[in-house]
Amino acid sequence: MGDPELQTAAEVRAALAAASDPARASGAAAFFKTGPGGYAERDVFLGVTVPATRAIVRRSSALPPADVAELVASPIHEERLAGLLVMVERFRRAGRVRTRDDAVRAAEHERYLDAVRAGHVDNWDLVDATAEYLLGEVVFPAAPVAEVVPPIVGELVTSDSIWPRRVAVISTFAAIKAGDPRPMLALAERLLDDPEPLLHKAVGWMLREVGKRVDRSVLTGFLDGHAARMPRTMLSYATEHLDPAERARYRAMR
């Protein structure tokens, strides 16, 4: 007999607390830069592994939307992650061919945008686990469309906060997987002068995926035109899977 289903936010919080580890929490706080001046300053960690969090999420399918929203707004990192992953799971389950429910997908998409705008999707792991699905799969359909950068992505990428900008970037993974590199290339060009290293990493990662999943020549064409201006970290991530000589040539252009 498996573990019982979790019916409320309080039950999810109790399950996360039971899986917590103070030593791991201390390590996570340092890794995620929660100290003064860090990008996750004042974030609170319980020390729950991602696999353990996902196992708890699998038991939370019946959680009411208000309870999910309560978790997403929590000051505790793993509680926010659990709430967001419940949203992802519902969104993806509603996208299956035999059980497709576009109303559920639209509702989770809107709740996600509310969470992003409220500042609850506020660390790179939270963004990277959610943006491709809860934003990207909605605004970047399987067939490329004329509107390269949808209005909501344009709104997020101009935010003063790093996290909506990263949401915008990672959302393009859905377009890349559908064979359309244009949204990523458009955002990458806009973000060449962004001051945040975590954005440089995200943009470089997505550019690398363009080269791997769509067309290597599309990546190298972008690099030919922009490598000289690209931040070092962005260029390093983007060229990671090129051969050593080509990688060195692009890095020498800076």
Side-chain angles (χ1 to χ4, degrees), residues 16-41:
L16 289 168
S20 66
D21 181 326
R24 187 178 290 112
S26 179
F31 179 74
F32 283 98
K33 312 297 183 188
T34 63
Y39 61 75
E41 186 175 358

Side-chain angles (χ1 to χ4, degrees), residues 117-243:
R117 288 168 173 149
H120 301 320
V121 188
D122 59 350
N123 214 315
W124 58 263
D125 62 322
L126 305 181
V127 173
D128 295 359
T130 58
E132 173 192 345
Y133 309 107
L134 294 169
L135 176 58
E137 287 193 6
V138 175
V139 300
F140 299 119
V145 295
E147 190 174 49
V148 175
V149 179
I152 182 57
V153 176
E155 172 196 323
L156 296 176
V157 82
T158 58
S159 172
D160 290 336
S161 169
I162 179 179
W163 305 118
R165 301 203 303 278
R166 186 166 175 123
V167 166
V169 170
I170 301 303
S171 76
T172 68
F173 208 174
I176 292 167
K177 288 181 176 179
D180 186 2
R182 298 174 304 153
M184 182 61 250
L185 299 180
L187 293 193
E189 192 165 7
R190 289 191 192 188
L191 294 169
L192 288 173
D193 298 318
D194 194 282
E196 294 286 353
L198 283 174
L199 257 294
H200 303 167
K201 291 180 180 180
V203 173
W205 170 25
M206 291 296 103
L207 287 172
R208 184 181 72 214
E209 294 300 324
V210 167
K212 289 170 59 179
R213 295 172 181 268
V214 182
D215 190 329
R216 184 175 175 278
S217 68
V218 174
L219 169 62
T220 56
F222 183 89
L223 295 173
D224 289 340
H226 300 290
R229 279 186 60 201
M230 291 172 70
R232 188 178 302 277
T233 299
M234 185 187 296
L235 183 61
S236 177
Y237 273 63
T239 58
E240 194 172 54
H241 290 282
L242 299 181
D243 65 71

Side-chain angles (χ1 to χ4, degrees), residues 76-96:
I76 296 174
H77 188 94
E78 290 93 340
E79 292 182 6
R80 297 199 304 284
L81 177 60
L84 290 165
L85 290 177
V86 169
M87 294 167 63
V88 171
E89 176 59 25
R90 289 178 176 172
F91 179 88
R92 300 191 74 185
R93 187 168 60 243
R96 294 170 185 162

